[in-house]
Amino acid sequence: MQHKNSFKLICLSLALSSVFASASSLAQDLKIALIAGKTGALEAYAKETETGFMMGLEYLTGGKMEINGRKIKVLVKDDQSKPDLGRTALAEAFGDDKVDIAVGTSSSGSAIAMLPVAEEYKKILIVEPAVADAITGEKWNRYIFRTSRNSMQDGLAAASTIKSGGSIAFLAQDYAFGRDGVKAAKDALGAVGAKAKIVHEEYAAQNTTDFTAAAQRIFDVLKDKPEPRVLQIIWAGPNPMNKLADMKPERFGITLAPGGNILPVMKNWKTYVGTQGTIYYYYDFPKNKMNDWLVAEHTKRFKSPPDFFTAGGFAAASAVYTAISKAKSTDTEKLITAMEGMEFDTPKGKMNFRKEDHQALQSMYHFKIKKDQKNEWDLLELVREIPASELPVPVKNKR
């Protein structure tokens, strides 16, 4: 009888060990969904975001790809920058794939469509790199955090460089990103007390390739207005700056003011020496250990420096890593508690999630195009870093 009882105890012990081992094995899979527009107009942005996100996790985990002892598994999903596909991809990630946290996406329109899904599943969505103000404004919910800058941060940065009088016209894409960008730029000019007057807004379809008619309307309005006359371009994807420059706006005393863009776009601006603008990130501007590693490793692996959205993907990875490490859990409520007001390191330096709307507050950069360029990617000269303290981003949600 004693032997039988001993045998039963051994069997029970083995069974329990198997259960605990199985549970432990399951616990080691930390699932993260990364949703991006890998096909379509924003394909280049998506590729950079994914590269930066994976390099960020590698750096932060020392190559182990683990957080709190749990093996990281990243599920990459392509929403083609389409709102319906973005919504479906996030629902599948939270519902079928049982991911712990999600990051995305490239298009503002798609990101806005994803926001209610995060609320429905009560799971965290870190928005990167979409910028529309509505994401942390009227469309926001408590499960949304954003590492990318928003349109108002873009606008405030640009406005800080145009405080004098004169006349401003806008050329922007006719969808959430473009219209949000113009609204933010107008609000920002008011916020910094700029004396320049906005004289025209021109919106064009995302796939526009011929800007002749749009440019002519802008030139006709600007040419007789008080100087300086500035045409500010708010555009995602292939940028129209070269085509506008070919129409010689300088004939009318008009200066182009582009927002920063990805390196393959900006290298086509080399002939516009001295042209100024503002940008979220340029590899040579931030001076910190994390950026040094990113620049060195990216150049080693890809034969080019990291780009605009590479840094953004890295920042999102840092937010994920810091939040889960701090919360010691992937429980949504514990993550929210950990993330509200959380400071985290990025290639740009410190960012922190504002408690009121979960927008990452961060610095921006005022640049001008270099005269003496040493190589293919030596494009921009830093005028100055614009600290977050000089970018009074208003809280626009209804919390």
Side-chain angles (χ1 to χ4, degrees), residues 50 81 107 116 146 175 187 193 196 209 212 227 304 308 369 372 395:
E50 182 179 352
S81 295
S107 159
R146 173 158 53 184
Y175 84 116
D187 291 346
T209 56
T212 306
E227 294 183 313
S304 65
F308 197 112
I369 297 174
D372 298 316
V395 176

Side-chain angles (χ1 to χ4, degrees), residues 317-359:
S318 183
V320 170
Y321 176 84
T322 307
I324 295 174
S325 299
K326 184 179 178 183
K328 295 180 171 58
S329 171
T330 51
D331 174 78
T332 297
E333 292 305 318
K334 290 180 180 178
L335 284 174
I336 291 174
T337 299
M339 293 173 78
E340 288 190 335
M342 182 182 82
E343 186 175 80
F344 53 103
D345 291 315
T346 81
K348 292 178 60 174
K350 299 284 187 183
M351 291 188 190
N352 72 283
F353 286 127
R354 184 165 57 182
K355 186 175 182 179
E356 291 82 358
D357 61 359
H358 303 172
Q359 172 63 49

Side-chain angles (χ1 to χ4, degrees), residues 236-292:
N239 195 283
M241 180 165 156
N242 282 345
K243 293 183 178 180
L244 293 169
D246 287 344
M247 297 179 217
K248 303 192 180 305
E250 65 273 14
R251 290 177 294 151
F252 309 108
I254 297 171
T255 301
L256 300 180
N261 212 303
I262 58 176
L263 294 172
V265 171
M266 292 195 298
K267 75 175 185 178
N268 293 318
W269 300 352
K270 284 186 174 185
T271 55
Y272 310 118
V273 171
T275 297
Q276 299 189 32
T278 52
I279 194 168
Y280 164 85
Y281 171 86
Y282 177 69
Y283 70 92
D284 193 45
F285 290 170
K287 305 301 179 185
N288 60 69
K289 184 178 178 181
M290 186 177 280
N291 192 57
D292 290 347

Side-chain angles (χ1 to χ4, degrees), residues 115-131:
L115 306 186
V117 179
E119 186 172 34
E120 177 186 348
Y121 284 90
K122 294 181 169 54
K123 289 283 189 178
I124 300 294
L125 169 64
I126 295 177
V127 175
E128 175 67 46
V131 303

Side-chain angles (χ1 to χ4, degrees), residues 354-387:
R354 184 165 57 182
K355 186 175 182 179
E356 291 82 358
D357 61 359
H358 303 172
Q359 172 63 49
L361 302 181
Q362 56 197 280
S363 60
M364 299 284 280
Y365 303 95
H366 178 188
F367 72 83
K368 66 179 177 181
I369 297 174
K370 276 187 171 184
K371 180 179 181 181
D372 298 316
Q373 299 170 2
K374 298 174 185 175
N375 57 55
E376 182 181 15
W377 306 117
D378 184 28
L379 307 171
L380 306 183
E381 177 181 334
L382 179 64
V383 176
R384 78 179 188 104
E385 181 174 341
I386 308 167

